[in-house]
Amino acid sequence: MQLSNHPLPASPTSQALPAASAPQQDATAFSRHNALRRLVRCLFAEGILDCSALVFAPHGAAAWFPLWDQHALLYFSGLWAAPAATYVLTGTVTLVKADGTRLAIDTPGQLIDLLAPRFDFTPSPESLAGLHDDVANSVANDALARSHRAHWNQTLRQAMEATGARGLVDHLRQNCTLREAAVLLEQWGSLEGHPFYPTWKTKPQLSPAEVAQLSPEFDAQVPVRIAALRSNMAYVERMPHVADYRTWFAERFPQVWQRWKDGLAARHLDERDWLPLPIHSWHLDHYVKDAYAAEIAEGVLVFDGPDIDTRPTMSFRTMVPQLPSATPPFIKLPLALWLTSEQRSLQAKSIHMGPRISAVIERILAQEQGFGHRLEIFPEEVALHYRHAVRQEDRPGRHLSVAYRATAQALDRNDGLLPITVATLFTASPVDGRALITELIERPLAGRATPEAVGVYFRQYARTVVQPVLAIYLLYGIGLEAHQQNTSVLCAEDGTPRGLLIRDFGDGRTFAPLLEARGHTLQPYVHPGILPTVFRDDIEPVRTFVLDACFVCHLHELALALTHEYQLPPTWLWEILREETAAAFDAVKPRIEPSLWHAERTQFLEAPWPTRSVLRMHLQQYADYRLQHHLPNPLAALQPSAHG
Ligand SMILES: Nc1ncnc2c1ncn2[C@@H]1O[C@H](COP(=O)(O)OP(=O)(O)OP(=O)(O)O)[C@@H](O)[C@H]1O
Ligand SMILES: [Mg+2]
């Protein structure tokens, strides 16, 4: 395609907060706009409002949405009609009434109230109030994080000036180990949160001070208690190479193990009867002591024990231990806290399936040489949950559980590849406020990248992500939830993406017939009332998982960001993504049954893409966690968009 210069509105998107110190007021205005942008996007994408009613100006990016019954128009000064029914608010919103009066719609609450009567269903008053509250809470937390960010970025800029680094990645590469750089980038990159969730930073149970004390975007340090759970009161799932949890823990956390044993000895307890159980400090004080009072009284759980310092990763509840020695695993913990949309428990299904899926993937990666050395994982080596020896119920263990994620292979590398969590690539650089990925794209260049250079980079990126994700899906029926927070890109010294590092397998979806046809088995977790994640009859739920996480929330999002940043032709990057997706299908074609290959190719390249209806789910108070809608497939035979 011709690389015409196709200007897009220059107003800021979420990633464009100026790097310089921003007063709280500016941060709040920015965060409100962030919420408006998310609401507008979800309302149209999910069909809650009819996007075909939008009228676009013949030139420029303005649009009107008629509110006939109110004899009024909603005026968007900038609305980018991007592929896949993605309407990105880049300007302001104004209500224009019949008498010509104009009312600025600056807050998400105003927008919700104004548009609720036009929704394609009638939300209950409680659900509307819930949305109001959660969005307002997100805005407040987002603004706080952006104020904090101004200071953090200032500190980083000073350090960078002292070393003469060209950018943040350059600085970290010069001054840290790859592990340290990867962990810092993960925390620093947690500013934006999920790319379009309207309640992206909701933490309704936490005060602003607690949000700052516990969240990765505040560079938080959080104590984790190493409590003790009676050995016969636990279900332990291990990868095959782990012979015994206690021995494994003693090897991975030698000093902590010693302190933990000493603590038990001081209480005259025989340490051989107990298992170390990490508990997040907030969870311990605000939930465990009360909710498990009976277990504590019965002598099932001893909540005293040594504390270790940890740093939260982007998911808030997976913790990086700050221990002087060795390479401790990451610790994933339950939290009785609503974050974004869910209470972050760690249920038995995730405990059972995480190590099992990790083991299957490791065997596959060994057989397939990592699909051309492009795919690596953070294996979940050991996981356990409380299960009473007599009552044998799994459910009570969902808030008394842990999963350990091995990190040595992934982070202690000698190939120079730096793992960068994908969300971090979207985060504004401390140097110039542009998305960090621009530093990687422009690393070998002098100055701003040309559209051609961006195209070359995006092609390499798409190839790196799509090839392994589709190969393991099509060949083995394994769906990787490769969204921005579960995926790190392994970047070479020159910024080029070379591979993927995936985490979070507890809720991973698989299609058993494909896996079994290649000689692997995966024992499913079966429990009344728990939705299955190993599917037999239909591959659709697995495909949806891949399309939603990897294509909608990750690759489409990257295409949007780069198209906007570099003012690229409206559908060009999606054309590249189409070519790379088609190439990934071609790469495995000889090994796949033809009807499956054709059917899947159609689903990825032509059919509408299924994706989770995040706003509708919220408005229906999460009565159904599997609500989905379809987006026009942005890779389907590309028609130049009328409003592009
Ligand atoms: N860019 C992002 N995309 C998706 N989720 C994000 C993003 N940034 C932050 N998050 C947060 O990460 C979490 C994603 O949920 P998910 O179930 O994948 O992870 P998890 O199981 O809680 O933890 P982990 O990935 O550490 O195993 C949510 O809490 C969400 O708010
Ligand atoms: Mg995750």
Side-chain angles (χ1 to χ4, degrees):
M1 142 170 243
Q2 283 293 308
L3 282 180
S4 64
N5 187 19
H6 185 91
L8 291 167
S11 327
T13 62
S14 67
Q15 281 82 31
L17 190 78
S21 157
Q24 181 68 32
Q25 221 179 348
D26 289 358
T28 301
F30 182 91
S31 300
R32 282 202 188 117
H33 190 271
N34 192 354
L36 286 174
R37 182 176 50 79
R38 290 162 182 270
L39 283 168
V40 167
R41 176 166 172 179
C42 290
L43 286 168
F44 288 124
E46 296 182 26
I48 297 172
L49 292 181
D50 178 9
C51 63
S52 69
L54 280 166
V55 178
F56 281 82
H59 304 290
W64 289 264
F65 186 74
L67 304 170
W68 297 129
D69 44 352
Q70 299 171 48
H71 303 285
L73 292 170
L74 202 56
Y75 171 67
F76 299 103
S77 72
L79 190 67
W80 171 25
T86 305
Y87 293 89
V88 184
L89 180 69
T90 56
T92 55
V93 187
T94 310
L95 178 67
V96 184
K97 297 188 187 161
D99 62 3
T101 50
R102 298 164 74 89
L103 176 69
I105 306 296
D106 292 329
T107 68
Q110 281 175 292
L111 190 76
I112 295 166
D113 290 342
L114 186 65
L115 292 174
R118 303 294 308 268
F119 291 175
D120 70 335
F121 70 107
T122 308
S124 68
E126 301 78 50
S127 71
L128 278 175
L131 183 63
H132 265 276
D133 290 349
D134 282 355
V135 174
N137 185 252
S138 281
V139 167
N141 290 337
D142 194 53
L144 263 184
R146 286 174 197 281
S147 297
H148 181 271
R149 177 57 44 126
H151 301 292
W152 192 353
N153 276 352
Q154 175 72 20
T155 313
L156 288 170
R157 266 196 303 278
Q158 280 164 358
M160 288 158 61
E161 277 158 24
T163 59
R166 290 169 56 196
L168 180 58
V169 175
D170 190 34
H171 170 71
L172 296 176
R173 273 191 172 276
Q174 285 177 33
N175 294 285
C176 305
T177 63
L178 290 173
R179 169 182 286 265
E180 289 163 347
V183 170
L184 192 144
L185 284 170
E186 157 109 12
Q187 287 209 306
W188 176 86
S190 55
L191 178 67
E192 299 297 341
H194 186 284
F196 51 82
Y197 235 108
T199 54
W200 73 113
K201 292 247 178 261
T202 300
K203 297 178 180 77
Q205 294 148 271
L206 298 183
S207 69
E210 287 174 317
V211 169
Q213 278 159 17
L214 301 174
S215 305
E217 60 268 38
F218 292 85
D219 198 15
Q221 292 220 40
V222 180
V224 166
R225 172 68 48 85
I226 308 298
L229 181 65
R230 256 194 195 280
S231 311
N232 62 343
M233 296 282 171
Y235 175 87
V236 182
E237 183 78 38
R238 296 169 276 112
M239 284 176 72
H241 66 272
V242 180
D244 163 64
Y245 168 53
R246 286 162 41 85
T247 315
W248 177 92
F249 188 94
E251 282 168 6
R252 297 298 190 280
F253 300 95
Q255 295 95 339
V256 183
W257 172 250
Q258 193 55 51
R259 284 165 57 207
W260 177 82
K261 281 202 310 186
D262 293 346
L264 288 176
R267 297 174 146 258
H268 308 292
L269 294 172
D270 185 344
E271 49 98 357
R272 287 168 301 182
D273 295 338
W274 297 86
L275 302 176
L277 179 73
I279 305 177
H280 190 286
S281 51
W282 186 92
H283 188 60
L284 178 62
D285 290 337
H286 294 86
Y287 188 82
V288 169
K289 287 180 186 172
D290 247 15
Y292 294 99
E295 281 80 357
I296 294 165
E298 196 189 332
V300 170
L301 176 72
V302 174
F303 65 75
D304 280 336
D307 283 337
I308 56 171
D309 278 340
T310 71
R311 288 177 172 276
T313 60
M314 207 173 273
S315 71
F316 192 94
R317 43 84 156 255
T318 294
M319 317 303 282
V320 184
Q322 303 292 292
L323 295 170
S325 63
T327 58
F330 291 176
I331 305 175
K332 180 167 178 171
L333 296 172
L335 272 173
L337 249 187
W338 279 82
L339 299 174
T340 318
S341 62
E342 285 180 56
Q343 202 190 40
R344 301 285 158 176
S345 63
L346 192 53
Q347 57 173 328
K349 178 176 72 182
S350 309
I351 297 301
H352 293 231
M353 296 312 291
R356 290 181 198 166
I357 295 181
S358 300
V360 168
I361 296 180
E362 283 213 331
R363 280 197 293 275
I364 292 170
L365 292 179
Q367 275 170 8
E368 300 275 354
Q369 280 90 46
F371 297 100
H373 304 287
R374 277 210 181 94
L375 185 59
E376 299 181 22
I377 63 167
F378 282 110
E380 290 169 27
E381 280 194 310
V382 187
L384 63 129
H385 66 85
Y386 157 57
R387 180 156 79 186
H388 195 278
V390 179
R391 295 192 287 274
Q392 290 288 323
E393 297 159 342
D394 280 355
R395 193 170 155 76
R398 73 196 190 287
H399 282 302
L400 214 49
S401 48
V402 59
Y404 296 94
R405 195 165 276 170
T407 60
Q409 278 198 355
L411 298 184
D412 301 316
R413 316 182 64 94
N414 52 21
D415 57 6
L417 297 181
L418 171 62
I420 306 182
T421 316
V422 171
T424 302
L425 300 174
F426 291 80
T427 308
S429 159
V431 180
D432 56 11
R434 297 162 68 213
L436 193 71
I437 193 167
T438 60
E439 180 188 331
L440 300 177
I441 296 173
E442 293 167 8
R443 205 169 158 78
L445 312 170
R448 205 176 161 82
T450 60
E452 286 81 1
V454 180
V456 168
Y457 189 93
F458 183 75
R459 184 179 293 285
Q460 174 68 22
Y461 188 101
R463 186 172 300 169
T464 305
V465 174
V466 173
Q467 293 254 353
V469 168
L470 277 185
I472 201 163
Y473 167 69
L474 293 168
L475 290 165
Y476 295 92
I478 291 184
L480 298 177
E481 192 185 12
H483 64 45
Q484 294 183 17
Q485 176 270 333
N486 282 341
T487 311
S488 300
V489 172
L490 299 168
C491 290
E493 192 87 46
D494 67 357
T496 315
R498 295 259 185 255
L500 282 191
L501 176 56
I502 308 264
R503 71 185 87 170
D504 197 357
F505 303 110
D507 293 331
R509 295 187 188 174
T510 43
F511 187 57
L514 284 182
L515 194 61
E516 288 164 7
R518 291 186 198 274
H520 296 276
T521 49
L522 183 62
Q523 189 196 341
Y525 176 79
V526 183
H527 195 276
I530 300 290
L531 293 170
T533 45
V534 179
F535 297 88
R536 286 215 160 260
D537 303 330
D538 189 357
I539 197 171
E540 184 277 332
V542 187
R543 182 197 312 123
T544 293
F545 199 62
V546 176
L547 275 171
D548 182 39
C550 182
F551 282 75
V552 176
C553 294
H554 175 175
L555 295 165
H556 175 57
E557 214 55 44
L558 184 61
L560 287 170
L562 294 180
T563 300
H564 186 86
E565 167 65 30
Y566 290 101
Q567 308 269 296
L568 302 177
T571 58
W572 186 47
L573 294 186
W574 288 266
E575 288 169 39
I576 293 176
L577 183 54
R578 179 182 172 88
E579 287 164 14
E580 289 305 321
T581 306
F585 271 92
D586 290 342
V588 292
K589 189 174 184 182
R591 300 177 61 192
I592 298 198
E593 196 266 312
S595 65
L596 176 75
W597 186 87
H598 283 287
E600 289 302 316
R601 191 177 187 280
T602 304
Q603 294 298 329
F604 279 80
L605 288 176
E606 309 295 343
W609 279 352
T611 181
R612 300 176 74 220
S613 309
V614 296
L615 179 53
R616 197 182 291 274
M617 278 194 280
H618 195 289
L619 281 167
Q620 298 184 359
Q621 299 182 296
Y622 295 99
D624 178 0
Y625 268 95
R626 291 206 170 170
L627 274 192
Q628 58 188 56
H629 59 281
H630 287 86
L631 299 173
N633 189 325
L635 313 185
L638 283 154
Q639 306 276 333
S641 147
H643 319 296

